[in-house]
Each structure stands twice: as structure tokens, then as C-alpha cells.
Amino acid sequence: MKFIRILLFSMLMLQGYSAAAMGSFEKLDYEDCRELVSSGEILSMAELMALVKDMSEGRIIDTSLLKKGAVYIYEMEIAGTNGMIEMLYVDARTGAISHTLDTDGQKGI
């Protein structure tokens, strides 16, 4: 029971962090994502999942596509095998992975 409370608390905290980190990013919907993948502008979800699988044993909980200007970023919540939730930011064009997102649209390390 304690584990579940900790997990729920962590998820609530990350939701607040996620919204704050987005700054002036626009959150795109499924249709926008599908069109960008079809045009070859961004990586598909299958390609993204393969990248994450190679670097983590965790499981993807949630993913959003963010846009600021010409920058497209996948924001991902990953549940690690240790029960910790981690936010990852992935350049939707290149697959470059970062753990932070600066408000100017550049990925930090």
C-alpha cells in the first residue's frame, strides 16, 4: 500500500513538473503527430519505443508531442524497473535523448 501511495504521489508531482517544463510549448494532438510522421518530419512512435527500449528497461507510461517554433520534442514518462518515474525528452526528428527541457526549446543534459 505504501508503494502505491509513493507511486501516485510521484506521478502527481511529475505532472506539475511536466506542465512547468513545457513553458511556451504547444502540445500537439494525435492527428498532428500522424501527419508529421507520414510526411517524414518526425520519428514514429515505433521508432521512439525502440530507442527507449535500447537505453532503458523501463516502460513508457505516457508520451506527448510538443512543438515550439520548428522544434518537435517527445515528452515521455518512463516507469523504471525500480518503481521510479523518469521524464525523458526526445528530439522527434533525430531521436537525441535528454533528461531536461529548457524553456527556450533547446534540450539540456
Side-chain angles (χ1 to χ4, degrees):
M1 186 65 169
K2 185 177 179 182
F3 172 75
I4 293 172
R5 281 188 283 186
I6 292 171
L7 181 62
L8 288 174
F9 177 76
S10 298
M11 290 177 72
L12 288 173
M13 293 300 292
L14 283 173
Q15 284 181 341
Y17 171 76
S18 173
M22 280 176 45
S24 62
F25 278 82
E26 174 187 0
K27 188 174 182 178
L28 301 179
D29 65 15
Y30 170 77
E31 278 299 313
D32 294 327
C33 185
R34 192 173 64 86
E35 288 174 18
L36 289 164
V37 169
S38 293
S39 70
E41 187 85 19
I42 63 171
L43 298 172
S44 69
M45 187 57 68
E47 293 168 307
L48 180 65
M49 291 173 71
L51 285 171
V52 172
K53 185 177 180 183
D54 288 344
M55 66 158 280
S56 171
E57 293 180 12
R59 175 174 71 86
I60 299 173
I61 297 174
D62 190 28
T63 302
S64 298
L65 180 62
L66 310 177
K67 178 185 179 189
K68 182 176 184 181
V71 176
Y72 293 98
I73 302 289
Y74 280 116
E75 176 186 61
M76 304 173 61
E77 287 182 44
I78 309 292
T81 55
N82 61 357
M84 298 297 294
I85 308 281
E86 181 180 11
M87 296 300 290
L88 289 179
Y89 298 93
V90 181
D91 184 304
R93 289 187 170 122
T94 66
I97 296 174
S98 176
H99 293 277
T100 62
L101 182 67
D102 295 331
T103 56
D104 64 357
Q106 300 300 312
K107 297 175 303 304
I109 295 186

